[in-house]
Amino acid sequence: MKKSFAFLLCVLVMIGCSKRDPILPGERYNIFGDAEIKTVDKAVPQLSESAKNIYGNESCDFTQDKTNTIWSGDKKVFKGFATGDSVKSNQKPVCVDNFIYTGFSNGEIVKINTNNNRVVWTADVYKENTLTGGFAIVDIVARVGVDKNFVYAGGLGDAFCKFKNVNGDKVWCVNISVPVDFILIDDFAFVVGTDNYLYAIDVRDGAVYWKIKIKKQVAPNYDGKYIIVGREKIDYINGQIAK
């Protein structure tokens, strides 16, 4: 009888203390992210007629495989940490000058000097509490974007982030899971999320100017006036679907 009462008491304690794991010590946090992303509800200013080239040299001959290994032909350049499970993707390294940038299934991005195949820096691209409590999907399936002094990357671990190119230090992150390539026009990034929203983000401070529901999770394009996602045209100024 005493054992049964003790068990029932433990169950009640676990239910009442939702932030405490019954096995592991310390507080546990919600791995599903915060509430809905807040927008500042501002209009995007007039932008240039073309997007920036943030994906480097199109003839980049480096490749990578599902074991997070980077290759130059049949020569191994870098061996990352292989994860047991990963999302199928066509992730490719981005070549800029004498460096390559890419993301892995463990939620990391890496910058490598191709002159000596040495790692310049690595950085995490996932929300800090995403991994709390066990398994989580943090794969980086969208290409890493490089714009001179800064690097942009989005992964499936609830993070779209800006980093300093020189050392990989994080500048800011927005809690958006990113399944496809994004575009950068002047000081604004246009990012499609796994929640089926297109976001307009001021890359200077990470502020989300607006968001709009979209039908498909495909990489956005730009025609000088509209952000095009699949067959939908969105006015980049106010985020409204074009009629």
Side-chain angles (χ1 to χ4, degrees), residues 84-149:
D85 296 292
S86 62
V87 175
K88 185 178 180 180
S89 74
N90 295 314
Q91 172 66 282
K92 289 184 61 179
V94 169
C95 298
V96 179
D97 298 327
N98 296 319
F99 301 94
I100 54 176
Y101 305 77
T102 196
F104 296 131
S105 60
N106 63 352
E108 286 185 336
I109 60 172
V110 62
K111 176 181 180 180
I112 297 173
N113 187 330
T114 58
N115 289 325
N116 52 27
N117 292 343
R118 291 183 179 177
V119 174
V120 180
W121 51 257
T122 62
D124 293 331
V125 187
Y126 51 81
K127 192 176 177 183
E128 291 184 359
N129 64 359
T130 299
L131 297 181
T132 305
F135 174 77
I137 297 175
V138 294
D139 301 53
I140 298 174
V141 295
R143 284 183 293 175
V144 176
V146 183
D147 183 33
K148 297 180 181 178
N149 297 324

Side-chain angles (χ1 to χ4, degrees), residues 4-235:
S4 298
F5 176 78
F7 175 78
L8 179 60
L9 181 61
C10 288
V11 171
L12 292 174
V13 169
M14 288 191 299
I15 293 174
C17 302
S18 59
K19 283 192 176 182
R20 291 216 169 260
D21 192 294
I23 300 175
L24 300 176
E27 292 189 352
R28 303 275 73 84
Y29 299 92
N30 179 11
I31 66 172
F32 297 105
D34 296 327
E36 185 179 5
I37 295 173
K38 295 180 180 180
T39 63
V40 296
D41 294 325
K42 288 184 179 180
V44 172
Q46 193 74 32
L47 299 179
S48 300
E49 293 185 357
S50 59
K52 293 183 178 182
N53 174 24
I54 57 174
Y55 296 121
N57 184 359
E58 290 296 330
S59 62
C60 178
D61 61 356
F62 291 89
T63 59
Q64 69 188 80
D65 60 31
K66 63 181 181 180
T67 68
N68 293 329
T69 302
I70 299 175
W71 301 84
S72 176
D74 58 359
K75 181 181 179 181
K76 186 184 297 184
V77 174
F78 175 80
K79 174 66 176 176
F81 177 76
T83 55
D85 296 292
S86 62
V87 175
K88 185 178 180 180
S89 74
N90 295 314
Q91 172 66 282
K92 289 184 61 179
V94 169
C95 298
V96 179
D97 298 327
N98 296 319
F99 301 94
I100 54 176
Y101 305 77
T102 196
F104 296 131
S105 60
N106 63 352
E108 286 185 336
I109 60 172
V110 62
K111 176 181 180 180
I112 297 173
N113 187 330
T114 58
N115 289 325
N116 52 27
N117 292 343
R118 291 183 179 177
V119 174
V120 180
W121 51 257
T122 62
D124 293 331
V125 187
Y126 51 81
K127 192 176 177 183
E128 291 184 359
N129 64 359
T130 299
L131 297 181
T132 305
F135 174 77
I137 297 175
V138 294
D139 301 53
I140 298 174
V141 295
R143 284 183 293 175
V144 176
V146 183
D147 183 33
K148 297 180 181 178
N149 297 324
F150 298 100
V151 175
Y152 301 89
L156 299 182
D158 252 356
F160 176 73
C161 305
K162 176 181 181 178
F163 302 89
K164 294 181 180 179
N165 196 351
V166 64
N167 55 16
D169 284 354
K170 192 175 293 182
V171 181
W172 51 254
C173 285
V174 181
N175 295 337
I176 301 172
S177 287
V178 183
V180 292
D181 290 352
F182 46 90
I183 55 176
L184 186 65
I185 311 167
D186 296 338
D187 290 321
F188 284 84
F190 295 88
V191 182
V192 168
T194 58
D195 56 359
N196 281 9
Y197 276 96
L198 171 68
Y199 294 88
I201 303 170
D202 187 334
V203 299
R204 292 169 294 187
D205 57 9
V208 179
Y209 270 44
W210 53 254
K211 67 177 184 178
I212 183 71
K213 198 76 173 179
I214 53 174
K215 295 179 180 178
K216 290 186 177 182
Q217 293 176 26
V218 295
N221 291 300
Y222 180 53
D223 68 356
K225 184 178 181 180
Y226 297 106
I227 306 298
I228 302 171
V229 184
R231 294 185 177 181
E232 295 179 286
K233 289 186 175 182
I234 297 101
D235 189 325

